[in-house]
Every structure is written in C-alpha cells, then in structure tokens.
C-alpha cells in the first residue's frame, strides 16, 4: 500500500487520501468524511452506513466488478441478515469476511477506514450531499496538480522508475556485489548506486535532500517532477547496461550526468514531449495487481 498521502480540503474539513498502487486507484478516508457528521464517534457513522442493505448491495457490486477473489457466499449471507435490528457489521468484518479490496482499515498516525474513491464518494453522499460536492471538487483539483501523488502522470512515471530500479539493482547484484558479503555490505553497494544517480540528476544525495527539506513528505524521488522521473527511468536502464560492461562508477557518473542534462534540456524545451503520458486515463482494471 502506498504511504504517500494528500489532504483534500473539503470546505475546510481535511480528508486524507493516498494512491493505492496495488489496485491502481485512489483511496479516501471514510473516517475523515464521517467526522463531518460526528467528530467524536466517526466509526459509528461508518457502521451505520455499512449495515444498510443499499450500502451492502453497492459494495458487493463494486467488488464483483473489480475483485475476482471476492467471497460471494459470505456476502450473500450478510445481505440476507441486513435490515434486521440485530444486524451489526464493521469495516474490519466486511474486509476479512468478503476478502474485499475496495476498503482498508489501518492503524497508526493516519489510521482509520479508507475506501476506493467511488465508494468514498457514495459514503460522502450518504453523510451529506453538499459535503460530497466540496470533496469531489478539491479531489479533482488534486488530480490535475502535477506535483500531487494522486496525479496519474506522476504515478505512471513513479511506477516506471520502480520497474527500472529493479533491473538496476539486479545488474548491481550480478556485476558489482562480490560473493560472501553480508546483507549490510550488499545494501551499501545499492545505496551508493542509488545516490550516485541522485547526485547525477538532482545534484545531491537522498540524505542531503532530506536535511534540506525536513518537512517534505516522502523522499527526493517522491518529490521529483514529471520530467525528472522520466529521465531517472532512462538513467536507471542505461546505468544497468554500463554496470554490465564493468565501467567504473566515476566514469558512469560523468556519462549519466551528461545524458541527464541533455534529456532534461530537451524535455523542458519541448513540453509536448510528455503529452502521451498526460492523456492517460484511469484504467478500469478488474484484476488485483501483485
């Protein structure tokens, strides 16, 4: 699950949200939405919403559309009990019992119940139609913001960077890390390569960046621009090939820095070069990604 969060300002009410890379969708805090109705007992608001038959039918249909592992047998059992005075259900019971992917409950500082955006908006309508309008308005604004973690362009390039990083670290393991090293020693090799690319592209190491930006969320790469992430993905692939050719790290750094400067200059001069990525829409993915 993604840890990089954004805060939706729904008419002065802060609502946490994050990009769930596992199912390639945004999740919004039901707990924060419920606080609009009841600051002290938001969980009770969620439980009251969950126990209605209309809510269960909606959640069941959503899961059947997007979740091939959904437990329909348990869902039908819950549905048959809904409406009775004795029927009680919690988010945790729903998630565990049905193997749901559209809702998550988590502890910690940003804990609470989160749901996929479509489900969260359905809940917001139940809480207050007016509040839903404010919530959707600010959410859509965040989706357009190129620096937001909810922006699909940002997510696509971050994912591309992660894929290439795996190729990059595999090359390091095969060509740089000697046998019989401890895990800690091997990790130092990976860190050196990653920081070499950070210096090549950003002009500083991850630690130096964090020291200079103590209040920023995420790390140096999480806060990179769309153009920087695109170049980073290319640098990681190129570095992996240079490693296989046994080129020393100092020579690789100079070559990669030259490539980075050339590519960034080109991208910044030609803003339309990323238009293909910017036209991507949210996919309707009904398969649970690993």
């Amino acid at each position: 699950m993604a840890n990089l969060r954004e805060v939706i300002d729904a008419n002065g009410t802060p609502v946490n949200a994050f990009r769930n890379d596992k199912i390639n969708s945004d999740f919004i805090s039901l707990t924060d939405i419920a606080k609009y109705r009841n600051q002290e007992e938001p969980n009770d608001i969620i439980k009251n919403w969950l126990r209605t038959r209309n809510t269960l039918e909606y959640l069941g249909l959503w899961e059947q559309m997007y979740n091939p592992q959904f437990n329909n047998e348990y869902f039908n059992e819950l549905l048959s009990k809904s409406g009775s005075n004795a029927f009680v259900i919690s988010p945790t019971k729903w998630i565990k019992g049905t193997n749901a992917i559209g809702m998550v409950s988590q502890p910690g500082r940003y804990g609470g119940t989160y749901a996929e955006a479509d489900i969260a908006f359905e809940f917001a309508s139940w809480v207050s139609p007016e509040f839903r309008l404010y919530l959707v308005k600010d959410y859509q604004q965040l989706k357009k913001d190129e620096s937001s973690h909810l922006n699909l362009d940002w997510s696509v390039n971050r994912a591309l960077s992660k894929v290439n990083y795996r190729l990059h670290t595999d090359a390091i393991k095969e060509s740089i890390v000697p046998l019989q090293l401890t895990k800690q020693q091997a990790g130092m090799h990976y860190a050196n390569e990653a920081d070499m690319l950070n210096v090549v592209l950003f002009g500083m190491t991850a630690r130096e960046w964090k020291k200079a930006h103590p209040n920023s969320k995420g790390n140096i790469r999480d806060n990179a621009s769309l153009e920087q992430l695109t170049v980073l993905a290319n640098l990681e692939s190129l570095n992996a090939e240079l490693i296989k050719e046994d080129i020393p790290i100092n020579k690789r750094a100079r070559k990669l820095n030259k490539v980075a400067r050339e590519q960034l200059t080109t991208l910044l001069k030609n803003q339309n070069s990323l238009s293909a990525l910017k036209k991507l829409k949210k996919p309707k993915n009904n398969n649970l990604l690993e």
Side-chain angles (χ1 to χ4, degrees), residues 203-263:
M204 64 184 72
T205 66
R207 178 174 293 184
E208 289 170 342
W209 183 91
K210 195 64 180 177
K211 185 177 180 180
H213 305 83
N215 298 321
S216 296
K217 294 183 290 184
N219 57 38
I220 188 172
R221 299 185 182 199
D222 295 326
N223 287 272
S225 68
L226 183 60
E227 290 81 5
Q228 286 174 323
L229 285 174
T230 301
V231 173
L232 177 60
N234 295 335
L235 293 181
E236 288 176 331
S237 295
L238 177 57
N239 192 41
E241 294 304 314
L242 296 177
I243 288 171
K244 291 177 182 178
E245 295 173 11
D246 294 325
I247 298 177
I249 190 170
N250 60 331
K251 292 185 177 181
R252 282 187 281 115
R254 286 195 294 270
K255 182 177 182 62
L256 292 169
N257 179 251
K258 182 175 182 293
V259 171
R261 284 184 287 128
E262 290 174 350
Q263 291 192 2

Side-chain angles (χ1 to χ4, degrees), residues 86-264:
F87 179 64
V88 177
I89 186 171
S90 66
T92 300
K93 183 177 180 180
W94 166 258
I95 295 165
K96 291 183 177 180
T98 64
N99 195 33
I101 64 170
M103 191 179 297
V104 296
S105 288
Q106 52 188 189
R109 180 181 177 186
Y110 299 102
T113 300
Y114 288 76
E116 197 274 339
D118 290 337
I119 297 173
F121 294 145
E122 185 74 11
F123 175 60
S125 292
W126 183 82
V127 169
S128 166
E130 179 186 9
F131 181 74
R132 180 188 186 278
L133 291 175
Y134 289 120
L135 182 70
V136 171
K137 181 180 179 181
D138 197 68
Y139 169 76
Q140 290 176 337
Q141 186 60 44
L142 280 174
K143 294 289 287 184
K144 295 178 183 178
D145 184 353
E146 289 191 2
S147 66
S148 170
H149 302 128
L150 303 184
N151 180 282
L152 184 58
D153 295 342
W154 189 96
S155 299
V156 168
N157 281 274
R158 183 65 172 136
L160 180 61
S161 175
K162 288 180 180 179
V163 169
N164 281 291
Y165 184 72
R166 177 58 185 272
L167 296 174
H168 178 220
T169 54
D170 284 348
I172 294 170
K173 183 177 180 181
E174 293 175 3
S175 306
I176 292 182
V177 182
L179 295 177
Q180 298 182 345
L181 282 183
T182 65
K183 289 184 178 180
Q184 183 178 4
Q185 289 171 319
M188 290 176 63
H189 281 282
Y190 295 127
N192 288 340
E193 288 295 328
D195 262 342
M196 184 269 286
L197 291 180
N198 288 337
V199 172
V200 161
L201 182 59
F202 304 109
M204 64 184 72
T205 66
R207 178 174 293 184
E208 289 170 342
W209 183 91
K210 195 64 180 177
K211 185 177 180 180
H213 305 83
N215 298 321
S216 296
K217 294 183 290 184
N219 57 38
I220 188 172
R221 299 185 182 199
D222 295 326
N223 287 272
S225 68
L226 183 60
E227 290 81 5
Q228 286 174 323
L229 285 174
T230 301
V231 173
L232 177 60
N234 295 335
L235 293 181
E236 288 176 331
S237 295
L238 177 57
N239 192 41
E241 294 304 314
L242 296 177
I243 288 171
K244 291 177 182 178
E245 295 173 11
D246 294 325
I247 298 177
I249 190 170
N250 60 331
K251 292 185 177 181
R252 282 187 281 115
R254 286 195 294 270
K255 182 177 182 62
L256 292 169
N257 179 251
K258 182 175 182 293
V259 171
R261 284 184 287 128
E262 290 174 350
Q263 291 192 2
L264 275 175

